[in-house]
Amino acid sequence: MLTGASRGVSELTPPSGPGLARSQRLFTLDLVCPAHFGLTGNEPLTILPLSQAAEQTHGKAHFKVCDRLKLERKQRRMCRRDPGVAETLMEAISMSALECQYQFRFERWNCTLEGRYRTSLLRRGFKETAFLYAISSAGLTHALAKACSAGRMERCTCDEAPDLENREAWQWGGCGDNLKYSNKFVKEFMGQKKSNKDLRARVDLHNTNVGVKVIKSGVETTCKCHGVSGSCTVRTCWRQLAPFHEIGKLLKLKYETALKVGSTTNEATGEGDITPPKKPPAPAAPAAAAHHHQIPRTTDLVYIDDSPSFCRPSKYSPGTATRKCYKDKNCESICCGRGHNTQSREVKRPCQCQVRWCCYVECKQCMQQEEIYTCKD
């Protein structure tokens, strides 16, 4: 099954450089792209769970959820073999979408994911596309690890004993998030097989892996003490993933420092590597130019195409007309210099609050004027 991202590979025009002529001929041949899921897949993003009655009537109700997710054959098989997977996949999609919209709520592109906009974005290698790949793999990895520790999966449970320092001084306990199982599942589910011949496939796989790496970097060891009168005779420890909001924040920072890349290709083998483009697209300040030519690390988000402005309606977004903004903060940027409208309204808010004995706060309700700013058409 070719999804939006893989269908659009032949449309790309990567930066010029030695050996690219051969790599461009290979764009439409021997495509080995990672499978797609979540915000980069074909499944609808508004999937209603089956009713409780349906689950009681049909012992294999999760089969229907797996089918409605529009998965590839291997993914559907993995979804069906554990009843907890279907629910976890839906949770991963919802969590990734909400986090994307939260992180971009003040930006021109506010993670608009309606069908046609998402499809058009995935056909191009924008910075926004890179973020969608990373947040999707991060969401799936996070949701699966948490589902294991919550007992919602049949094939995994809590994390097994970790590699803790001074292990004789620590006793493993609690219920750790099973990142080991999650990583293995995601790697198989996403079909992550390296392709050296297709720049877009390499970029998508790279950004998918960035999402997983950010999850790994956020693992923390949590410990509690046990003993008489508060003494710490026994310490119980387990590993937990960082809250997904923290993951989203880190990926947003990586989006802001994402690197534009091209490709170098070995004429003899047809294999290539992701590299900085040979020429900057426009004159840049020294600092920006240095950043532009930086060699991507495995933890950097990378992209191929410069993003559109997202100011006006297009196949990539509905534009920013009528979007709410914040005066003196982001109205100039979001409204793209078109200016903004100001509306006043009365709202009821708590006021004159006082602490009452012993344990509550008593407030009056006051009417206040509030100004709302929206971008002009």
Side-chain angles (χ1 to χ4, degrees):
M1 179 182 74
L2 289 178
T3 62
S6 55
R7 280 197 304 267
V9 169
S10 61
E11 300 173 10
L12 297 174
T13 307
S16 60
L20 281 182
R22 176 170 172 77
S23 89
Q24 287 173 345
R25 290 197 299 272
L26 292 167
F27 275 4
T28 56
L29 303 172
D30 302 323
L31 293 183
V32 187
C33 300
H36 306 284
F37 173 75
L39 310 192
T40 66
N42 275 345
E43 70 275 10
L45 298 182
T46 53
I47 302 170
L48 297 176
L50 294 177
S51 67
Q52 190 174 1
E55 292 177 2
Q56 293 173 349
T57 305
H58 305 287
K60 296 183 177 180
H62 68 285
F63 278 26
K64 293 185 178 180
V65 179
C66 296
D67 293 340
R68 290 162 65 190
L69 283 170
K70 298 185 179 180
L71 303 172
E72 296 180 4
R73 181 181 301 175
K74 181 180 179 181
Q75 292 176 328
R76 187 165 58 251
R77 186 171 66 249
M78 293 179 69
C79 178
R80 287 184 168 195
R81 73 187 185 193
D82 187 332
V85 171
E87 177 187 353
T88 304
L89 293 181
M90 291 195 299
E91 180 185 339
I93 294 171
S94 175
M95 185 167 65
S96 301
L98 290 173
E99 189 60 29
C100 179
Q101 290 164 356
Y102 176 80
Q103 293 297 334
F104 286 86
R105 64 197 186 282
F106 300 135
E107 308 288 339
R108 288 182 184 174
W109 180 71
N110 59 345
C111 197
T112 304
L113 296 173
E114 282 82 359
R116 69 187 185 94
Y117 299 128
R118 182 169 61 127
T119 300
S120 297
L121 275 173
L122 292 174
R123 286 177 178 156
R124 302 295 299 276
F126 299 140
K127 287 171 61 176
E128 293 72 23
T129 315
F131 184 88
L132 292 180
Y133 274 91
I135 199 73
S136 294
S137 61
L140 180 55
T141 304
H142 196 281
L144 278 165
K146 289 288 186 182
C148 289
S149 61
R152 302 203 310 264
M153 306 277 283
E154 290 185 353
R155 291 174 173 255
C156 66
T157 55
C158 301
D159 190 17
E160 298 176 357
D163 300 323
L164 291 174
E165 295 182 6
N166 302 321
R167 198 159 165 191
E168 67 279 358
W170 298 85
Q171 178 179 332
W172 178 248
C175 189
D177 297 325
N178 199 333
L179 187 57
K180 182 178 179 181
Y181 178 87
S182 178
N183 284 336
K184 182 179 178 181
F185 183 98
V186 171
K187 186 174 183 179
E188 184 180 358
F189 187 81
M190 301 295 283
Q192 294 181 14
K193 183 177 179 182
K194 186 176 181 182
S195 166
N196 287 324
K197 296 183 178 181
D198 174 38
L199 173 61
R200 176 61 195 276
R202 296 199 305 275
V203 165
D204 291 347
L205 180 56
H206 175 96
N207 292 324
T208 296
N209 288 334
V210 169
V212 177
K213 289 178 186 294
V214 169
I215 294 289
K216 289 182 180 179
S217 68
V219 176
E220 296 180 350
T221 300
T222 302
C223 297
K224 287 186 178 180
C225 284
H226 307 274
V228 180
S229 300
S231 64
C232 197
T233 54
V234 178
R235 286 173 289 188
T236 303
C237 303
W238 60 93
R239 291 190 296 191
Q240 288 183 318
L241 302 185
F244 199 62
H245 267 317
E246 294 299 318
I247 303 301
K249 188 187 301 183
L250 287 172
L251 288 176
K252 178 61 160 51
L253 290 174
K254 291 182 179 296
Y255 161 85
E256 292 170 355
T257 57
L259 299 173
K260 186 175 184 180
V261 296
S263 175
T264 55
T265 306
N266 185 310
E267 292 288 346
T269 64
E271 297 183 353
D273 294 310
I274 296 174
T275 64
K278 295 300 179 183
K279 296 180 181 180
H291 175 75
H292 180 84
H293 286 286
Q294 182 180 334
I295 297 175
R297 299 169 298 181
T298 58
T299 54
D300 289 323
L301 287 181
V302 297
Y303 66 99
I304 302 170
D305 300 322
D306 293 325
S307 300
S309 69
F310 298 109
C311 289
R312 296 290 186 182
S314 70
K315 59 184 179 181
Y316 304 116
S317 81
T320 62
T322 72
R323 274 275 304 278
K324 184 178 179 180
C325 63
Y326 297 87
K327 189 178 180 181
D328 301 327
K329 289 185 179 180
N330 66 348
C331 281
E332 183 65 24
S333 172
I334 287 187
C335 301
C336 306
R338 300 190 304 270
H340 58 271
N341 298 313
T342 304
Q343 292 178 308
S344 294
R345 67 177 182 181
E346 281 193 339
V347 293
K348 189 179 291 186
R349 288 205 175 118
C351 63
Q352 299 179 23
C353 297
Q354 294 182 340
V355 178
R356 297 297 186 185
W357 182 261
C358 94
C359 309
Y360 69 95
V361 177
E362 187 178 80
C363 299
K364 294 183 179 180
Q365 294 294 319
C366 302
M367 298 300 296
Q368 297 179 355
Q369 287 290 125
E370 179 185 72
E371 289 189 335
I372 299 174
Y373 307 99
T374 55
C375 293
K376 292 183 177 180
D377 294 341

